[in-house]
Amino acid sequence: MSQPFRIGIAGLGTVGTGVIKVIQKNGDLLALRAGRPIEIVCVTAQSKSKKRGVDIGGYRWIDDIPAMADVDGLDAIVEVIGGSDGPAKALIEKALKKGIHVVTANKALLAHHGQQLSQMAEDSGAGLAYEAAVAGCIPIIKAVRESFTANRISAVYGILNGTCNYILTTMRETGCAFGDVLSEAQAKGYAEADPSFDIEGIDAGHKLSLLAANAFGTVPNFGAVEMTGIKDIQPIDIAFAGELGFKIKLLGIAKFDGKQLVQTVEPCLVPGQSPLGSIEDVYNAVFVEGDFFETPLLTGRGAGEGPTASAVVADIIDLARGHKIPAFGIPAARLKVPEYIDSSNIVARYYLRLSVLDEPGVIADLSAILRDLNISIESMIQRGRDPGQPVPVVLMTHKARFADIQEACARIDKLRTSIEPPRAIRVEQDL
Ligand SMILES: NC(=O)c1ccc[n+]([C@@H]2O[C@H](COP(=O)([O-])OP(=O)(O)OC[C@H]3O[C@@H](n4cnc5c(N)ncnc54)[C@H](OP(=O)(O)O)[C@@H]3O)[C@@H](O)[C@H]2O)c1
């Protein structure tokens, strides 16, 4: 048998213990596929005494995290601590400088420092693999970086956060408010105690910036992702969307025309029966548009111990086989800096929900504002009659520039008859 591929695992939480379980259970199979045994040499985490649910007695414990890179004869370090800076970054940098391969699930770190880390890996000849960082068990990084390489890719988009998809699915099914569904998701372990990265769209933004870099050959730039989360989505919007044949999904969308790049994470209306509209609960799904293929939809569980560990171990096998390519598919120094376009330039249909007093002349005032901004209305729902009281009015627009939609909302909000700030949600009709 060939020399073992010797690894250290930094982080023994959900993903780290999952990786150990996979290697302990499927060791024979992994050795066959990798052409050599995968041997866990050392591990580290914050607490040495914590019960982990896996036997780590046979592995050397490392107290000082970056010191793992000094362990003799390590081929790869698996970093599953997390965080865009701190010990995870210190360890990865040290390992890459020494030519030790790195496998990580850390999207935050790569979204912030991806180009620099990719360069370090290239300089020392190390591999930097991170399939688990984006969409769990869906092999989307490999697909974009290795399988779709014949194409110029113009768009990559999808449902990139399972927690948000679970919350939106449950809100639709139960009619419950966001806060109640979030509490239930936390109780079930689908949402973190601090859910802000998920519900504010930050986690999806990290993943989108990595997908965009691989798809377009541009520098990963999380700072250029515009993010709107889901906490302002109300049951009434989900219900109206349903009446109109749509579902609300948190979408990450990156579009590139060879020069200009727009990256957004925001709740959107998608046709309820479309492939994306059918992705429910904690599932993720990613579409890619290239010039020589239809748009394949890849879907699967985006997080959790098994799916994430499975993706981490697949990367370990690749490296053990000697398979490594630049982290973003092309040399780090060749990654382009595109012209970033902000969302005000996006042209799309919009769902507008207004809360206005039920009085004569209100619809005429709204129509005048929209007319002045060249926004035409495709359909309107006005529910209930309650003279003098607030009633909801929903407008579906034809395609309009988001800047004009924002201006219309600002003008409507100033009307005496407008009771709540208007709510605008982008409609992605063709997804
Ligand atoms: N969970 C998922 O489904 C999933 C999916 C995709 C990607 N990821 C990514 O995978 C990484 C790990 O996620 P996870 O869910 O496994 O996290 P987790 O369950 O919170 O585990 C984190 C581990 O890192 C250790 N750790 C934290 N801070 C540390 C520090 N300062 N020094 C040393 N060790 C430290 C913890 O030690 P103790 O156990 O001793 O406290 C724990 O073992 C993150 O980058 C995450 O974004 C996770």
Side-chain angles (χ1 to χ4, degrees):
M1 193 52 125
S2 321
Q3 286 288 311
F5 189 75
R6 291 159 50 90
I7 66 169
I9 300 179
L12 297 171
T14 306
V15 184
T17 54
V19 170
I20 293 175
K21 285 179 197 167
V22 174
I23 294 173
Q24 289 181 348
K25 178 168 182 284
N26 287 353
D28 292 355
L29 183 64
L30 305 184
L32 202 59
R33 290 186 172 149
R36 53 204 288 205
I38 308 296
E39 181 187 332
I40 302 172
V41 173
C42 51
V43 294
T44 182
Q46 274 181 127
S47 158
K48 192 174 176 182
S49 56
K50 199 181 207 175
K51 293 269 174 283
R52 307 277 175 189
V54 284
D55 181 6
I56 56 168
Y59 314 136
R60 182 172 154 196
W61 182 271
I62 307 291
D63 282 316
D64 174 37
I65 309 253
M68 184 177 268
D70 295 325
V71 172
D72 266 353
L74 272 196
D75 294 297
I77 282 173
V78 176
E79 182 280 308
V80 279
I81 294 172
S84 58
D85 288 285
K89 181 165 179 265
L91 173 62
I92 289 181
E93 286 179 345
K94 189 167 176 189
L96 291 178
K97 277 185 190 152
K98 294 180 93 167
I100 299 170
H101 302 308
V102 169
V103 175
T104 178
N106 192 337
K107 52 224 145 187
L109 177 74
L110 287 163
H112 285 278
H113 308 292
Q115 187 182 24
Q116 170 208 335
L117 295 174
S118 179
Q119 187 64 59
M120 274 183 190
E122 280 167 47
D123 290 346
S124 71
L128 172 59
Y130 54 91
E131 185 62 70
V134 181
C137 69
I138 306 174
I140 189 64
I141 297 295
K142 205 178 196 38
V144 171
R145 205 170 52 179
E146 297 176 48
S147 306
F148 300 157
T149 42
N151 288 264
R152 280 185 200 281
I153 296 175
S154 51
V156 55
Y157 48 86
I159 295 171
L160 300 174
N161 184 277
T163 304
C164 289
N165 206 36
Y166 173 81
I167 291 173
L168 292 171
T169 303
T170 309
M171 284 176 73
R172 193 187 72 250
E173 287 173 351
T174 62
C176 291
F178 170 80
D180 296 335
V181 177
L182 172 62
S183 305
E184 187 219 314
Q186 285 170 317
K188 284 187 171 169
Y190 292 162
E192 302 284 333
D194 175 2
S196 48
F197 265 39
D198 289 323
I199 63 175
E200 289 171 13
I202 297 167
D203 174 79
H206 288 148
K207 295 169 183 168
L208 186 71
S209 65
L210 300 180
L211 280 174
N214 280 288
F216 311 134
T218 48
V219 292
N221 187 351
F222 171 69
V225 183
E226 281 184 61
M227 291 161 295
T228 306
I230 62 166
K231 59 183 190 303
D232 294 332
I233 298 292
Q234 295 185 17
I236 190 175
D237 295 311
I238 293 179
F240 274 124
E243 269 187 54
L244 293 159
F246 291 91
K247 289 178 184 167
I248 299 181
K249 299 286 177 189
L250 183 72
L251 298 187
I253 303 176
K255 293 186 178 173
F256 184 56
D257 63 5
K259 254 173 91 176
Q260 297 183 321
L261 174 59
V262 58
Q263 306 176 106
T264 53
V265 173
E266 62 184 304
C268 294
L269 266 66
V270 300
Q273 300 305 319
S274 65
L276 266 185
S278 312
I279 305 299
E280 303 282 40
D281 294 314
V282 294
Y283 280 78
N284 284 193
V286 188
F287 265 101
V288 181
E289 283 179 13
D291 48 358
F292 284 94
F293 61 22
E294 296 298 313
T295 58
L297 173 76
L298 298 167
T299 182
R301 275 186 177 264
E305 179 186 292
T308 313
S310 161
V312 168
V313 174
D315 277 344
I316 296 172
I317 293 176
D318 265 355
L319 291 168
R321 285 168 166 162
H323 180 65
K324 73 178 165 62
I325 52 178
F328 297 100
I330 60 175
R334 304 289 304 275
L335 291 166
K336 287 188 284 274
V337 178
E339 186 186 331
Y340 293 102
I341 298 297
D342 71 51
S343 63
S344 61
N345 292 291
I346 289 173
V347 175
R349 293 175 65 208
Y350 283 86
Y351 158 102
L352 295 179
R353 178 175 56 77
L354 322 170
S355 178
V356 289
L357 292 179
D358 185 2
E359 344 179 309
V362 171
I363 299 297
D365 290 344
L366 299 176
S367 303
I369 289 174
L370 296 173
R371 180 203 60 214
D372 291 349
L373 290 161
N374 270 326
I375 299 169
S376 60
I377 300 169
E378 187 200 86
S379 61
M380 183 178 91
I381 303 176
Q382 186 182 7
R383 218 15 70 72
R385 279 247 51 202
D386 199 357
Q389 296 302 309
V391 288
V393 171
V394 168
L395 306 170
M396 292 293 273
T397 74
H398 285 294
K399 281 192 172 176
R401 234 165 53 95
F402 186 47
D404 295 330
I405 294 286
Q406 285 175 303
E407 177 59 24
C409 289
R411 291 187 194 177
I412 291 168
D413 197 28
K414 287 195 187 126
L415 293 176
R416 177 191 57 81
T417 48
S418 173
I419 302 304
E420 276 178 33
R423 179 96 185 106
I425 307 179
R426 178 169 161 186
V427 179
E428 280 293 342
Q429 180 74 47
D430 302 324
L431 306 189

